[in-house]
Amino acid sequence: MLTDIEIAQRATPLHIAKVAEKIGVTEDELEFYGKYKAKLSDELAERLKDRPDGKLILTTAINPTPAGEGKTTTTVGLGQALCRLGKNAVIALREPSLGPVMGIKGGAAGGGYAQVLPMEDINLHFTGDMHAITAAHNLLAAMLDNHIHQGNSLRIDVRRVTYKRVLDMNDRALREIIVGLGGKVNGFPRQDGFMITVASEIMAILCLASDLTDLKERLGRIIVGYNLDGEPVRASDLKAQGAMALLLKDAIKPNLVQTLENTPCIMHGGPFANIAHGCNSVRATKLALKLGDYVVTEAGFGADLGAEKFFDIKCRAAGLKPDAVVLVATCRALKYNGGADKAKVSEPDVEALKRGLPNLEKHIENVAKYGVPCVVAINRFPSDTEEELAAVEERCRALGAEFALSEVFAKGGEGGEALARKVLETLEIKESHFKPIYGLELSIKEKAETVAKEIYGADGVDFLPAASKAIAEFEALGYGGLPVCMAKTQYSLSDNPALMCRPQGFRITVRDARISAGAGFVVLYTGDIMVMPGLPKVPAAEKIDISEDGVITGLF
């Protein structure tokens, strides 16, 4: 079979103005980035503000294998399939990060015959949003250290600076560093470090901000550290928010691209699903809902992370009401959850698959707790046997869960028509009664307990002293009413990646807590969450090349 990039290079994309025309967007409402990419203007959002919203469909997944289970591919394929059935569908996706592209995970433009174009640009510099976020983040870091160097009138405690720098690349050597070495003219030496750009609070802020004014206000609320009296120091104290917002003036505008089948796709933002909410921007989703009768979007990792945060953080903040959930399941992931070695998940093993089915059952139950109708998308891989697929279908029937086989990777929109019809049928006969899993009036610890017990299936939560101290401090500062963002492994419902399937009799341990005051949530760390990944022994970058005539190879 052709590689993803070979399939993409053989496609015939439309000029982006033609794609925009399909959903009623004029050329004057586009800011062109070449022939196949464009920013959607603020004037467009203003024109459409009173138009009724379409139906919002969230794509999420069971706990994945390390290779992922095709959530983005399913999202793209479902959008293509809906259009094939004559529906006005728009896809809303996250942007990829360069780090995983050059590392091991790959990009975020789908795969096979369910891809977004131009995939080379999307997976590289795209429209520069990642670079703008990197620049805005590091401007604040520079202004912070400059303030300390120039006399430190805010009396910032250099031992309690919490704001790190960022880079959109996997570089483990930058995780822990010392800045300010080389004498007095280079500032005060202190311990610092880098995160990958998608872990920046500014990324989360960009994805939750409603407009430029809201963006600027949120940027000003970022806590960079504490002064010698233990009081928070914010970006607004450094007078940084105006210049930061200026650097983000274009990045805040959603991007319009297309799929292999010319389905419109709004792609914007991409926060980590571990330490942030893992969804594309509120602006992109809301604009898609005005332009399409059906909007297919996604949330990062498994439903215990991405969907929970989509519901409890993004939907709550933006006033969104999802109408249906597509829960992606694969035989590979079920075998992995059933104890199969990750190197052997493509080998037939129906017994391991059956042992892993309780994981699917738990995620179906969790979606039901939010009151949203659910359809299981069985994402077919070439290695799947008929016996394995039948076992998944049989369990779905036993659970009373709607399901459909999806073959969008191999067949594009055609391979997603059965899924699309099932989703349309579900939207027709089942009404969403969406409600977040907890109320904001609960304490931070009570919110964490609710997520751990209801969504993960834990017996309870243990808070280590560092976490309890930080939480008490946040509540004293008036942040107790914020939602919680649980930083947890994606490979298990628990905080232990080795506990597969549907573990029982476990507790969640919260080791530390951080405040994302600008984004508007409290991050609770349940394990060693990597915010600056490293490259593997053989990075994907080794296989990526470009010829004299500009043809890119090796990019998936």
Side-chain angles (χ1 to χ4, degrees):
M1 186 175 177
L2 298 174
T3 64
D4 288 353
I5 192 169
E6 288 171 338
I7 293 170
Q9 289 170 343
R10 295 186 183 196
T12 306
L14 296 176
H15 192 286
I16 198 63
K18 294 293 185 183
V19 178
E21 186 179 316
K22 293 166 68 173
I23 49 175
V25 178
T26 69
E27 285 197 32
D28 289 341
E29 294 168 324
L30 299 173
E31 297 174 10
F32 293 101
Y33 283 66
K35 294 180 181 179
Y36 308 118
K37 300 169 291 181
K39 288 278 185 184
L40 296 169
S41 70
D42 292 335
E43 290 76 18
L44 173 63
E46 179 65 21
R47 175 170 72 84
L48 299 176
K49 65 180 182 180
D50 296 325
R51 180 180 292 183
D53 288 345
K55 299 287 187 180
L56 181 56
I57 304 159
L58 172 69
T59 305
T60 185
I62 65 173
N63 290 98
T65 66
E69 303 318 305
K71 192 165 62 273
T72 304
T73 302
T74 302
T75 302
V76 174
L78 175 57
Q80 292 181 156
L82 287 167
C83 286
R84 283 178 62 91
L85 296 178
K87 303 302 181 182
N88 174 26
V90 177
I91 300 165
L93 293 178
R94 298 171 294 164
E95 298 179 50
S97 164
L98 267 178
V101 168
M102 297 297 173
I104 191 171
K105 183 178 179 293
Y113 290 90
Q115 291 188 61
V116 183
L117 302 174
M119 72 90 82
E120 301 98 323
D121 292 358
I122 289 167
N123 284 310
L124 296 174
H125 302 290
F126 200 20
T127 57
D129 294 347
M130 291 289 179
H131 303 311
I133 292 167
T134 302
H137 184 110
N138 289 336
L139 170 63
L140 179 54
M143 292 181 71
L144 168 63
D145 278 304
N146 182 64
H147 180 90
I148 295 170
H149 174 72
Q150 300 292 354
N152 197 9
S153 61
L154 292 173
R155 300 172 64 246
I156 297 170
D157 186 344
V158 295
R159 300 163 301 180
R160 295 199 67 193
V161 172
T162 57
Y163 193 78
K164 293 187 174 186
R165 288 164 161 83
V166 298
L167 181 72
D168 191 29
M169 189 56 61
N170 292 2
D171 192 349
R172 63 170 55 82
L174 294 177
R175 288 173 186 162
E176 299 291 340
I177 62 172
I178 302 294
V179 296
L181 297 180
K184 185 177 179 180
V185 296
N186 292 339
F188 282 81
R190 66 176 182 85
Q191 187 174 354
D192 198 3
F194 275 78
M195 305 184 298
I196 194 166
T197 297
V198 289
S200 167
E201 184 181 350
I202 295 175
M203 172 63 86
I205 287 172
L206 183 86
C207 289
L208 290 170
S210 57
D211 53 32
L212 193 59
T213 299
D214 184 35
L215 175 74
K216 189 187 302 185
E217 291 173 352
R218 287 174 178 269
L219 292 171
R221 295 199 292 267
I222 294 174
I223 294 176
V224 298
Y226 297 84
N227 65 19
L228 293 171
D229 297 321
E231 299 167 334
V233 178
R234 298 177 173 86
S236 58
D237 297 320
L238 295 165
K239 300 180 176 62
Q241 71 272 30
M244 292 167 69
L246 172 61
L247 290 173
L248 298 168
K249 70 179 181 64
D250 294 317
I252 194 175
K253 298 173 184 176
N255 308 293
L256 179 67
V257 286
Q258 64 189 293
T259 73
L260 288 168
E261 299 178 14
N262 313 122
T263 301
C265 175
I266 301 178
M267 181 174 266
H268 193 220
F272 253 21
N274 293 109
I275 56 101
H277 59 293
C279 313
N280 71 333
S281 76
V282 165
R283 283 170 62 90
T285 303
K286 284 193 167 183
L287 197 52
L289 286 167
K290 299 299 183 184
L291 292 168
D293 296 327
Y294 299 90
V295 174
V296 189
T297 190
E298 65 170 350
F301 295 137
D304 54 318
L305 284 175
E308 186 271 315
K309 294 170 184 178
F310 179 86
F311 292 145
D312 289 319
I313 297 177
K314 179 176 177 176
C315 289
R316 192 197 307 263
L320 296 171
K321 179 188 174 185
D323 295 283
V325 167
V326 172
L327 180 65
V328 178
T330 66
C331 294
R332 301 183 331 151
L334 290 168
K335 286 184 280 189
Y336 184 65
N337 275 281
D341 187 276
K342 65 181 180 181
K344 297 182 178 180
V345 293
S346 294
E347 298 178 7
D349 191 344
V350 71
E351 293 306 316
L353 181 145
K354 289 179 178 178
R355 291 195 300 271
L357 283 169
N359 184 265
L360 171 61
E361 181 178 3
K362 175 59 176 167
H363 287 293
I364 293 171
E365 290 176 8
N366 285 351
V367 173
K369 290 180 180 182
Y370 287 97
V372 185
C374 179
V375 176
V376 176
I378 306 171
N379 185 21
R380 185 171 194 168
F381 279 70
S383 60
D384 297 344
T385 67
E386 293 299 328
E387 186 180 8
E388 289 171 339
L389 292 169
V392 181
E393 293 177 358
E394 182 181 343
R395 181 59 63 91
C396 288
R397 288 192 192 93
L399 296 171
E402 303 292 341
F403 67 91
L405 191 66
S406 175
E407 299 179 276
V408 297
F409 183 91
K411 300 179 182 179
E414 180 186 359
E417 287 189 12
L419 175 61
R421 289 192 179 93
K422 182 59 69 174
V423 169
L424 291 170
E425 176 187 314
T426 301
L427 289 169
E428 185 69 27
I429 64 175
K430 294 186 178 181
E431 185 178 353
S432 174
H433 300 283
F434 169 69
K435 184 180 179 182
I437 203 75
Y438 58 78
L440 294 181
E441 73 282 356
L442 298 180
S443 69
I444 291 173
K445 287 187 174 182
E446 287 172 332
K447 292 166 190 165
E449 289 268 359
T450 301
V451 174
K453 289 180 178 179
E454 295 294 327
I455 304 303
Y456 308 155
D459 291 341
V461 182
D462 298 317
F463 296 87
L464 296 188
S468 290
K469 180 180 178 182
I471 289 169
E473 186 174 58
F474 299 154
E475 291 182 331
L477 290 169
Y479 294 116
L482 296 180
V484 294
C485 180
M486 304 292 284
K488 182 184 75 67
T489 177
Q490 66 267 36
Y491 298 123
S492 172
L493 285 162
S494 74
D495 55 2
N496 179 357
L499 294 180
M500 307 304 293
C501 197
R502 186 175 184 171
Q504 306 285 333
F506 68 93
R507 297 182 66 81
I508 295 290
T509 300
V510 175
R511 304 175 184 278
D512 202 358
R514 295 283 188 273
I515 183 72
S516 290
F521 50 73
V522 177
V523 185
L524 301 180
Y525 289 83
T526 68
D528 185 17
I529 304 299
M530 192 63 64
V531 293
M532 171 52 86
L535 292 172
K537 187 173 183 179
V538 182
E542 290 187 11
K543 303 171 186 175
I544 297 172
D545 202 355
I546 184 168
S547 67
E548 287 185 4
D549 55 356
V551 177
I552 296 171
T553 56
L555 194 64
F556 323 124

